[in-house]
Amino acid sequence: MSNATEQPGVTIVGKKEHRSFRWLAYVFLIIMCVIQLLPFWLAICASSKPSDDLSSSLFLRFDFEWSNFATAITDGGILKAIVNSVIITVCSTVITCLVGAAAAYPLARRQTRGNKLVSAGILAIMMIPPLSILVPLYSFLVQIGGVNSYWGIVLVLSTTNLPLAIFLYTAFIRAIPASIDEAGMVDGASKPKIFFTLILPLLKPVTATVVIMTSVGVWNEYALSNYLITDASMQPIAPRVASFFASNSNNLGVGAAAALMAALPIVVLYLFLQRYFIEGMVAGSVK
């Protein structure tokens, strides 16, 4: 009888503790969301101010200064820079995903000593900062005519993002049953056909992860783009916004408007792919 009378009390206490913990989790998440969204709100408030308003107010002005966005487009060339970044980001992301998945497939399926050395080399390359090879890289691109060209910066940024992509794809493919490959071989399919028809469609979660990480990295890349693309008409968004803000440091509204326009495309991309991004990160970490 004592056990029967004590059990409901324990259950009620457990439910109360669970509810209190859940509310604390909600409060923590709300605080984190506010912290993450605060820079965007500050940028929106700053973009609403005219050039003579240097106040630090956290509220929007009723007379929103929409001319700041027009100035960023006409004088700053932000739209042209966005187009350049879209071209560079899309090409770099596609190359990174295709080459990364194709390279990871044999590394995941054949656990030979040579493949293990290659995997270790890829991990080692991930530790090398790209700027450490800037001088020989720039000299090489000058010799082959890759400076101030789309294909030159695309190849460089694709190469710098490939090690992480191969690492993620390899971890994901290792968890895919090898029986799928065996079934394809029984049907007479070749290795490339097995990869493109059977394995590649299963890589959608990790591909979304690679797409977001590569796109964000390429879109926000500043140092390499600043050195390898000096032509203002071909500059991507990061160095373009930096140079425009430097020339308009006394007009915070225009600089904030340019920064908001630069961040909008990549934020929209993340909102569309966030579910697949989280699935790919969790699957890659577990597998």
Side-chain angles (χ1 to χ4, degrees):
M1 289 297 293
S2 61
N3 291 335
T5 57
E6 291 176 0
Q7 190 65 27
V10 174
T11 304
I12 293 173
V13 172
K15 287 184 177 180
K16 290 181 179 179
E17 292 179 351
H18 177 70
R19 290 175 182 174
S20 61
F21 176 77
R22 184 171 61 182
W23 279 109
L24 289 175
Y26 286 154
V27 171
F28 175 75
L29 291 176
I30 291 173
I31 294 175
M32 293 302 298
C33 288
V34 171
I35 294 175
Q36 294 293 326
L37 294 176
L38 183 60
F40 290 96
W41 177 251
L42 293 176
I44 294 173
C45 294
S47 64
S48 67
K49 301 175 183 179
S51 58
D52 57 350
D53 187 356
L54 300 179
S55 64
S56 58
S57 176
L58 297 179
F59 299 97
L60 285 174
R61 293 174 59 97
F62 291 103
D63 52 340
F64 199 99
E65 196 73 19
W66 294 103
S67 60
N68 290 333
F69 293 89
T71 303
I73 293 174
T74 55
D75 297 345
I78 298 300
L79 288 184
K80 175 61 177 175
I82 290 177
V83 172
N84 294 335
S85 287
V86 168
I87 295 174
I88 296 171
T89 302
V90 170
C91 294
S92 301
T93 304
V94 171
I95 293 174
T96 301
C97 290
L98 290 178
V99 177
Y105 179 60
L107 293 176
R109 283 294 186 251
R110 301 185 62 185
Q111 299 293 321
T112 62
R113 183 177 299 178
N115 283 350
K116 291 180 180 180
L117 290 176
V118 172
S119 299
I122 291 173
L123 289 176
I125 292 175
M126 291 172 58
M127 309 300 172
I128 301 176
L131 283 179
S132 62
I133 59 172
L134 178 60
V135 174
L137 178 63
Y138 184 82
S139 301
F140 176 71
L141 288 177
V142 169
Q143 294 176 4
I144 64 176
V147 178
N148 289 325
S149 65
Y150 287 132
W151 65 267
I153 191 66
V154 165
L155 289 179
V156 170
L157 296 181
S158 300
T159 304
T160 56
N161 285 279
L162 266 178
L164 179 58
I166 295 174
F167 175 77
L168 293 176
Y169 275 119
T170 302
F172 196 89
I173 294 175
R174 282 175 181 168
I176 298 176
S179 58
I180 297 178
D181 303 56
E182 296 171 358
M185 295 175 64
V186 170
D187 292 337
S190 61
K191 286 290 185 180
K193 187 175 182 180
I194 292 174
F195 171 73
F196 285 105
T197 59
L198 299 178
I199 302 300
L200 193 59
L202 301 176
L203 304 180
K204 184 166 63 173
V206 69
T207 298
T209 302
V210 174
V211 166
I212 291 180
M213 297 183 70
T214 304
S215 300
V216 172
V218 173
W219 188 272
N220 295 329
E221 205 287 320
Y222 171 77
L224 292 175
S225 301
N226 193 38
Y227 285 104
L228 301 181
I229 299 182
T230 57
D231 188 356
S233 62
M234 298 190 64
Q235 274 188 327
I237 192 66
R240 185 66 238 163
V241 169
S243 60
F244 179 67
F245 187 81
S247 61
N248 293 271
S249 58
N250 58 341
N251 191 347
L252 297 180
V254 173
L260 284 175
M261 295 173 64
L264 183 61
I266 208 68
V267 171
V268 173
L269 175 66
Y270 178 79
L271 291 177
F272 276 105
L273 298 178
Q274 60 175 334
R275 179 168 65 90
Y276 299 107
F277 174 75
I278 296 173
E279 290 179 1
M281 290 298 292
V282 173
S285 62
V286 173
K287 299 172 184 177

